[in-house]
Amino acid sequence: MILVTEVESWLFMDQLTANQAAVPTILVEKDQTRARSFTPMRTLFQLKKWTAANAFIPLLSCDETAYKAYEVFHVDALPPFALLQGGRVLLRANESDAAYEKALAMSGKTTDEDVLGFALQYLKEMLDDEIVLASRLDLTAVSRVPEDVYVPGDVVTTGQRLFAWANAEVERGA
């Protein structure tokens, strides 16, 4: 099972939220002007575990330039792949995948849902493994993390629930 997760809303929080969190947090995104995103330490440990197992793919809305600000994905938890711009760009070991760009262009997919659906199917075929999506987008043709895992506005609880669910799924062989 490979977990594709909208990290901006499921796992990462802004500095104000991090300052108010009841758990230790760590900086995961910093641009030239300021610290931008944080995640709970417990979530970082899970990210390290899942990326080391090549079983976690971040899904972000940003482009490649903005992705470079996510230090966590370049230092602590290097993912085998990353989906940027909602699936319009696929990075392989943090480098743009030209074959994917060509395949996406040839597919004619243009809507956000169709592009992401194409990206997930592409990854499933390439990796020959089940892709499970943690996202608020409604993609019916894709395996999804259960709705009750996500807690709107609470990335601490959402991250804990997400990895607890995913670890249980792996343990039971799903």
Side-chain angles (χ1 to χ4, degrees), residues 4 10 50 60 62 77:
V4 176
W10 283 63
W50 280 76
L60 297 119
C62 66

Side-chain angles (χ1 to χ4, degrees), residues 1-173:
M1 175 177 86
I2 298 173
L3 193 57
V4 176
T5 305
E6 268 183 350
V7 296
E8 293 153 315
S9 58
W10 283 63
L11 303 177
F12 297 166
M13 64 185 92
D14 62 25
Q15 186 165 8
L16 178 63
T17 305
N19 290 343
Q20 297 172 347
V23 298
T25 61
I26 188 165
L27 178 68
V28 293
E29 178 194 14
K30 178 177 73 175
D31 64 17
Q32 294 91 354
T33 60
R34 63 185 172 94
R36 297 185 52 89
S37 298
F38 296 79
T39 197
M41 289 295 293
R42 196 170 180 185
T43 298
L44 177 63
F45 295 138
Q46 289 297 317
L47 283 172
K48 286 180 178 185
K49 172 186 168 184
W50 280 76
T51 56
N54 292 325
F56 183 87
I57 299 174
L59 171 62
L60 297 119
S61 61
C62 66
D63 63 15
E64 287 182 70
T65 301
Y67 178 72
K68 291 177 181 166
Y70 285 94
E71 293 177 357
V72 67
F73 296 130
H74 300 281
V75 178
D76 296 314
L78 178 66
F81 298 93
L83 287 169
L84 307 182
Q85 296 177 315
R88 287 176 170 72
V89 174
L90 175 67
L91 300 182
R92 184 186 298 237
N94 287 336
E95 297 292 327
S96 185
D97 186 326
Y100 173 78
E101 289 178 28
K102 183 177 180 180
L104 179 59
M106 291 176 52
S107 77
K109 306 291 184 191
T110 58
T111 69
D112 292 344
E113 290 81 7
D114 288 347
V115 167
L116 183 54
F118 177 84
L120 298 175
Q121 185 61 37
Y122 185 93
L123 287 166
K124 180 178 180 163
E125 290 173 10
M126 180 177 50
L127 301 172
D128 192 30
D129 204 345
E130 179 186 15
I131 302 294
V132 179
L133 179 64
S135 170
R136 301 306 300 156
L137 289 175
D138 187 20
L139 298 178
T140 55
V142 177
S143 295
R144 299 189 45 151
V145 171
E147 289 284 325
D148 64 347
V149 169
Y150 183 76
V151 180
D154 186 349
V155 299
V156 174
T157 303
T158 297
Q160 289 172 352
R161 287 182 177 184
L162 174 65
F163 287 115
W165 175 84
N167 288 324
E169 287 294 295
V170 168
E171 283 180 22
R172 69 179 191 98

